Amino acid sequence: MSIVTVQLGQCGNQIGFEVFDALFRDSHCSQGLCSKRDNEAYQASCRERFFREEENGVPVARAVLVDMEPKVINQTLSKAAQSGRWNYGQHTSFCQKQGSGNNWAYGYSVHGPKHEESIMNLIQTEVEKCDSLSGFFIIMSMAGGTGSGLGAFVTQKLQDQYSSSLKMNQIIWPYGTGEVIVQNYNSILTLSHLYRSSDALLIHENDAVHKICAKRMNIKQISFRDLNRVLAHQLGSVFQPTYSEDSSFHYRRNPLDSETVGQACLMPRIFVWSLSATNLSFYPQTGDLMEHLVPHPEFKMLGVRNIPQMSAASLAYSTFTWAGLLKHLRQMLISSAKMEEGINWQVRPPLSGLPPIGKASAHKEHHFNTSLANLVVLRGREVHSADVEGFKDPALYTSWLEPVDAFSVWKTQRAFDKYEKSAALVSNSQLLVKPLDMIVGKAWNMFSSKAFIHQYTKFGMEEEDFLDSFALLEQVVASYGSLGP
């Protein structure tokens, strides 16, 4: 089962390159800490999902690149070719000479309809090169015009034309201090439209990734490429093949797959690939991911956290235990921490029976993060000794789902990247309620004073379109707020 990635706009194309590069480098790493047979199955899984072979033997990314300006696409294609490891295919990119001017309406209402046929033809050509299509992974930002507006348009068309294939949008949440003056408008319009057409929204906040670069990676002058490499690492730690919890002999391979593979599959639709020749079946399929983590269409926002994350210099002097990693990851979950530094250890599950630590723990700022569903992905040495019972505590979850339905774990002894042991958490929880509420509030303040509305209405939008977006997202905030305390 294969995934077709659609890279949209400057942000989407730059991140897309780093994701494919991280996936390829990891799958060909000689330090995998597993048997040769397992490593070969792991590599085959990654290749089938994200790459195809050309006649010259160079792996080609299963991707379509779209931007309304040529500069970033040309740079992206050039970097892939110069890497010598993998490449993008010929005739898989589409660009024009005029951007979207950071205007969601221009990307959605002008560029979308004008270039729909060309873009969808490129996607169809790439789909036809898949033996079996698992789904689409769409990488885009929310702040600008092309990634957000055209991205929302393309996602809707994918829903129309490939309704039975799963669609996951990886969205970059803008800096809170502001990148574009109308970024809040662009963001609410993007989110509301994707909520109607996408199966899941995998969200990364620029502010959080920036802090990881500064405090965990010890980067002094942080560039967008530094941010994108952290994002690529987080995505790769989830999307690379793993075993499902109840089958240590089945490597699940495709996170977006919409079919189950065998009786051992806990999650029928996210990342599944089978290798009958080796009797290995690699996990994740996107379908498996979404079947498990998105049990209701009103709850589609997913967050990703990784542990450990650190510079190579620091890693050389660090050792990790599964007990320590999972203790930190669990506390990151319940306290809404984005990284292991600065975790609030005073937050505890409200029903755990444990007394609060000090009077401050009763304050509102120590808010417990209630989960709808969680997936933990463990990779590395002695992984089968890792105890994940702490994530099965009913107090972590909303009352209308049992932990057996709300939690899953995928494991593989095959290490990821440079880490001997690593853990990733994909969570559908209240983590993103606060930033969503803030961005809706900022957009409403602008809208109530009619600021910049004319820039959108001149491209066919009406004020009712904004009101519809506000209403939908306010309902999302209310729904997540109702999960727990």
Side-chain angles (χ1 to χ4, degrees):
M1 301 292 288
S2 303
I3 298 171
V4 172
T5 298
V6 183
Q7 304 176 183
L8 287 146
Q10 175 179 335
C11 177
N13 280 291
Q14 290 175 337
I15 292 174
F17 167 80
E18 298 296 346
V19 169
F20 281 109
D21 204 50
L23 292 170
F24 187 88
R25 281 188 287 105
D26 170 68
S27 66
H28 288 77
C29 176
S30 59
Q31 315 258 329
L33 303 179
C34 63
S35 69
K36 181 179 179 181
R37 178 171 175 264
D38 267 12
N39 203 49
E40 289 174 349
Y42 184 94
Q43 290 178 355
S45 245
C46 180
R47 279 199 308 270
E48 181 186 347
R49 188 184 311 168
F50 292 105
F51 297 92
R52 53 183 170 82
E53 299 290 339
E54 289 283 280
E55 290 183 2
N56 60 7
V58 176
V60 173
R62 298 185 187 274
V64 173
L65 296 75
V66 180
D67 199 0
M68 291 299 104
E69 295 175 297
K71 181 180 178 181
V72 171
I73 282 187
N74 290 338
Q75 291 174 344
T76 303
L77 295 174
S78 177
K79 282 194 296 184
Q82 291 172 8
S83 74
R85 297 185 291 266
W86 61 277
N87 207 345
Y88 287 104
Q90 295 183 359
H91 314 300
T92 58
S93 63
F94 178 85
C95 60
Q96 295 290 289
K97 295 183 178 180
Q98 181 181 7
S100 301
N102 293 322
N103 188 314
W104 187 92
Y106 197 78
Y108 185 87
S109 302
V110 178
H111 282 317
K114 182 177 180 181
H115 305 300
E116 173 186 353
E117 183 176 358
S118 298
I119 294 170
M120 297 309 294
N121 283 343
L122 284 178
I123 293 173
Q124 181 179 341
T125 299
E126 196 61 37
V127 168
E128 290 171 351
K129 294 175 182 177
C130 302
D131 291 335
S132 181
L133 176 67
S134 168
F136 297 95
F137 187 51
I138 304 126
I139 307 176
M140 54 191 282
S141 71
M142 297 199 309
T146 298
S148 62
L150 185 59
F153 181 89
V154 170
T155 303
Q156 178 60 59
K157 295 305 169 184
L158 288 174
Q159 173 63 17
D160 294 341
Q161 295 187 28
Y162 302 92
S163 58
S164 61
S165 297
L166 291 164
K167 288 153 285 287
M168 174 181 283
N169 290 70
Q170 197 262 333
I171 303 170
I172 304 303
W173 200 280
Y175 284 103
T177 53
E179 303 169 47
V180 185
I181 195 168
V182 291
Q183 69 177 30
N184 298 313
Y185 282 162
N186 294 338
S187 296
I188 64 150
L189 292 166
T190 301
L191 287 170
S192 62
H193 279 72
L194 292 182
Y195 236 84
R196 298 183 182 102
S197 56
S198 179
D199 294 296
L201 311 181
L202 191 61
I203 296 172
H204 283 91
E205 299 173 80
N206 267 342
D207 287 310
V209 180
H210 193 101
K211 287 180 182 177
I212 291 171
C213 287
K215 296 186 177 183
R216 301 301 303 168
M217 310 303 290
N218 298 321
I219 301 172
K220 304 303 180 185
Q221 300 293 326
I222 299 171
S223 67
F224 279 116
R225 188 168 192 188
D226 294 323
L227 299 177
N228 295 341
R229 284 177 167 174
V230 169
L231 288 169
H233 174 86
Q234 292 192 346
L235 292 169
S237 70
V238 175
F239 280 86
Q240 285 290 55
T242 62
Y243 294 114
S244 56
E245 179 180 27
D246 58 351
S247 177
S248 58
F249 300 103
H250 289 266
Y251 245 138
R252 311 294 283 211
R253 308 194 308 179
N254 190 342
L256 288 173
D257 191 3
S258 57
E259 298 177 3
T260 59
V261 176
Q263 296 298 317
C265 178
L266 280 180
M267 291 172 275
R269 298 176 63 187
I270 290 186
F271 306 101
V272 182
W273 302 3
S274 63
L275 291 175
S276 56
T278 60
N279 197 31
L280 290 176
S281 164
F282 263 117
Y283 213 10
Q285 300 227 45
T286 54
D288 295 324
L289 243 181
M290 291 182 277
E291 179 77 9
H292 173 64
L293 289 171
V294 188
H296 190 284
E298 207 158 293
F299 301 92
K300 293 185 178 183
M301 297 195 301
L302 309 179
V304 181
R305 278 159 282 190
N306 286 81
I307 186 171
Q309 287 190 118
M310 59 179 57
S311 66
S314 299
L315 184 62
Y317 300 97
S318 304
T319 57
F320 305 98
T321 64
W322 285 118
L325 290 174
L326 291 170
K327 178 181 179 181
H328 280 75
L329 191 64
R330 183 180 184 272
Q331 193 64 25
M332 288 167 67
L333 168 65
I334 67 176
S335 64
S336 298
K338 308 294 172 60
M339 59 182 179
E340 59 262 47
E341 186 166 324
I343 296 174
N344 185 348
W345 290 95
Q346 293 183 321
V347 179
R348 285 178 171 173
L351 304 178
S352 64
L354 296 174
I357 302 178
K359 294 180 181 179
S361 62
H363 291 178
K364 195 170 185 179
E365 59 265 27
H366 300 313
H367 177 71
F368 173 75
N369 176 43
T370 303
S371 296
L372 185 67
N374 291 308
L375 166 68
V376 169
V377 184
L378 306 178
R379 302 176 184 275
R381 193 183 299 276
E382 300 171 344
V383 69
H384 295 296
S385 68
D387 182 359
V388 295
E389 289 300 311
F391 289 89
K392 299 178 182 179
D393 182 355
L396 271 57
Y397 301 95
T398 185
S399 59
W400 48 270
L401 273 180
E402 295 295 326
V404 66
D405 300 314
F407 174 73
S408 190
V409 58
W410 299 342
K411 300 178 181 180
T412 175
Q413 192 165 325
R414 211 280 190 182
F416 177 70
D417 199 8
K418 58 184 180 288
Y419 297 98
E420 182 180 88
K421 295 184 179 77
S422 64
L425 169 68
V426 188
S427 179
N428 189 342
S429 69
Q430 296 173 318
L431 175 71
L432 295 159
V433 172
K434 184 176 179 181
L436 176 59
D437 197 31
M438 288 180 62
I439 214 165
V440 171
K442 290 177 180 179
W444 178 257
N445 288 339
M446 291 177 63
F447 181 77
S448 61
S449 62
K450 308 297 183 186
F452 304 105
I453 294 296
H454 66 283
Q455 294 187 9
Y456 293 78
T457 56
K458 68 182 180 181
F459 295 118
M461 286 192 64
E462 299 179 0
E463 292 188 11
E464 283 295 323
D465 297 321
F466 283 93
L467 293 174
D468 288 345
S469 295
F470 284 122
L472 187 151
L473 295 179
E474 286 169 356
Q475 180 58 48
V476 172
V477 170
S479 296
Y480 273 99
S482 69
L483 290 179

